[in-house]
Amino acid sequence: MTIWTLPERPARGPKPVYSRAQITEAAIRVADAEGLEAATMRRVAAEIGTGAMSLYRYVPSRDDLLELMADRLTGELDLAGVPSGDWRADLTRYADELRAMWRRHPWIGGVRRSLPGLGPNQLVLIERLMGVLDPHVPIDENLGLVALLNGYVEGVVREEIGAAEQLRRSGLSEPEWMARSHAHVDRLVKSGDHPIFTKIVTEARRPHLSRDDQFRHGLRRVLDCVAAALPPAT
């Protein structure tokens, strides 16, 4: 049994004072301000002005609360009009939307689910996103290509979030943080013992691009891989 199979209004007992949507929004506010670990049942109950035990009347467990939160964030992805018939434009739009959502709510990376969510927003996403490639490839191939895209976006945004957190903890600006490692990098390059690392430092183009440009550069390569898996003239 999941939160989606349970009625929001119990058949018996007093009339509900709160809705699941209100509770979910309160939990997201707490997570945005204080991190996912802070969004406990007790803390969320305090946010809406009730006791923790009262909250369990609406949401049976914290895992259920996390499922509600994840579905709510999925609803932030603007995929109206997808699929449009232009699969590359659709997947680019989805990747941009997903990255932006993760950056607004970095704690989403801490929500672990063993199975895909079956909430209303997540089901809409499945229909829209999987519908992009559905005319072109079998469903198993479709799932694999979407997983490839999701893996790329998640990997990039986790690195971005981690770097931002590292900067925050250091109290330095990004140029100051980079400058701090320059002496060590120079010694490694001058040693001659690390030729590939030296190429990365001295010749690589991507590290000198903005984060947005780096993301888009990598995304084009991922979509090229998707294109290679599609039938000709798709």
Side-chain angles (χ1 to χ4, degrees):
M1 184 174 294
T2 73
I3 188 66
W4 309 115
T5 63
L6 298 175
E8 182 163 355
R9 291 174 175 266
R12 299 179 181 179
K15 182 179 179 180
V17 177
Y18 307 102
S19 68
R20 282 181 186 165
Q22 288 175 305
I23 294 168
T24 303
E25 291 297 335
I28 289 172
R29 287 197 302 272
V30 172
D32 283 346
E34 304 171 32
L36 184 62
E37 292 183 0
T40 63
M41 298 294 276
R42 183 180 300 276
R43 176 68 182 83
V44 174
E47 179 74 12
I48 63 174
T50 189
M53 294 309 296
S54 297
L55 201 65
Y56 286 101
R57 290 184 56 234
Y58 304 92
V59 182
S61 70
R62 187 168 185 267
D63 284 344
D64 290 321
L65 180 61
L66 294 177
E67 183 66 26
L68 290 168
M69 293 164 71
D71 186 71
R72 160 63 179 76
L73 295 197
T74 300
E76 292 186 6
L77 306 181
D78 180 8
L79 297 181
V82 172
S84 68
D86 183 339
W87 69 264
R88 188 178 283 264
D90 288 345
L91 294 186
T92 297
R93 179 177 168 188
Y94 165 70
D96 287 340
E97 287 284 326
L98 185 62
R99 179 184 178 225
M101 184 273 282
W102 269 69
R103 293 175 71 173
R104 288 192 300 270
H105 309 284
W107 51 266
I108 189 62
V111 177
R112 296 294 183 184
R113 299 194 300 272
S114 58
L115 296 172
L118 299 177
N121 290 315
Q122 292 157 335
L123 289 171
V124 169
L125 175 62
I126 289 171
E127 295 299 319
R128 291 187 180 278
L129 180 59
M130 300 295 292
V132 171
L133 295 180
D134 184 65
H136 311 298
V137 295
I139 194 65
D140 287 344
E141 184 79 355
N142 196 342
L143 287 166
L145 294 173
V146 168
L148 175 69
L149 177 59
N150 281 332
Y152 170 71
V153 176
E154 180 175 340
V156 168
V157 78
R158 281 186 183 277
E159 190 279 328
E160 291 176 337
I161 292 168
E165 178 62 16
Q166 193 170 14
L167 281 177
R168 187 190 67 79
R169 290 179 180 177
S170 73
L172 302 173
S173 67
E174 186 166 5
E176 290 171 336
W177 185 79
M178 294 293 291
R180 190 170 62 177
S181 64
H182 281 174
H184 180 54
V185 170
D186 286 344
R187 284 195 297 272
L188 292 174
V189 170
K190 290 175 181 177
S191 73
D193 296 330
H194 310 282
I196 300 301
F197 176 76
T198 299
K199 282 188 176 183
I200 293 171
V201 172
T202 61
E203 299 179 26
R205 180 174 62 91
R206 289 187 60 209
H208 305 294
L209 300 175
S210 70
R211 287 198 177 274
D212 288 343
D213 287 340
Q214 287 184 49
F215 176 78
R216 192 54 62 90
H217 176 85
L219 179 59
R220 285 195 296 268
R221 296 296 175 264
V222 171
L223 296 182
D224 288 345
C225 291
V226 172
L230 302 185
T234 297

